[in-house]
Amino acid sequence: MATFSSSSTLEILLKKKLKKTKRLSVPTICLKHLPGFEPGRHQINFTAVDEEEHSWEFRCSKRRRGRAKPVLCGGWLSFIREKGLREGDVVILYKDQNHPNAPGGASYRIKYIKAIWLFGVDINPETTGVLDRQLPKP
């Protein structure tokens, strides 16, 4: 599997272990790091590039009222199907600050780590014990 460029300035937006769902919940704090979530907008599209340099178009949406509860929905199922991801695998979304031509001066990268199952137990040290990770509050 290819790795991201060492010249990139990557900042982790989220690191999540996948559950059986058609969407990926996104911590609310991440919304301010996605382009175009101005007041009154409830969804935006953005592109993230994987380790093989394939671009994926995702839609992030949030509730119109009450708590935001953002999720990745549009494009998400295509990504997990294409990569063969399943419950227990880990997805990491990065913000790459090194792209001045991208919207907002940043672009997004996405990486996955597959769980390794042995007798029904995940033994991959990169996926075991992973909790949701989000950016620290400023």
Side-chain angles (χ1 to χ4, degrees):
M1 187 179 291
T3 58
F4 294 134
S5 166
S6 59
S7 64
S8 296
T9 306
L10 299 176
E11 183 177 9
I12 294 176
L13 291 184
L14 70 92
K15 183 175 185 178
K16 294 200 74 154
K17 188 172 276 203
L18 298 181
K19 298 177 182 173
K20 284 189 179 185
T21 181
K22 294 181 180 177
R23 306 180 229 198
L24 178 69
S25 61
V26 176
T28 304
I29 192 169
C30 293
L31 292 181
K32 66 182 178 180
H33 298 283
L34 294 174
F37 255 126
E38 293 103 22
R41 289 198 68 184
H42 72 280
Q43 67 181 18
I44 56 106
N45 293 328
F46 69 98
T47 302
V49 179
D50 66 20
E51 291 180 295
E52 290 83 27
E53 298 301 321
H54 182 270
S55 294
W56 296 91
E57 183 77 19
F58 295 112
R59 180 180 317 113
C60 184
S61 64
K62 64 179 184 171
R63 291 180 176 170
R64 292 179 192 256
R65 300 172 201 254
R67 291 183 29 209
K69 293 213 150 213
V71 293
L72 280 187
C73 46
W76 177 245
L77 281 179
S78 296
F79 177 76
I80 61 173
R81 285 181 184 140
E82 175 76 23
K83 300 301 181 182
L85 301 179
R86 61 185 192 160
E87 186 175 11
D89 295 338
V90 172
V91 172
I92 307 168
L93 181 66
Y94 300 90
K95 183 177 182 180
D96 188 345
Q97 303 286 2
N98 253 6
H99 292 284
N101 296 331
S107 65
Y108 301 89
R109 309 285 284 183
I110 191 161
K111 176 181 176 179
Y112 61 90
I113 304 167
K114 291 198 168 213
I116 300 171
W117 298 97
L118 181 65
F119 304 115
V121 177
D122 179 10
I123 61 168
N124 186 342
E126 292 185 274
T127 58
T128 54
V130 169
L131 301 174
D132 295 349
R133 174 149 185 241
Q134 59 193 37
L135 289 172
K137 295 182 181 179

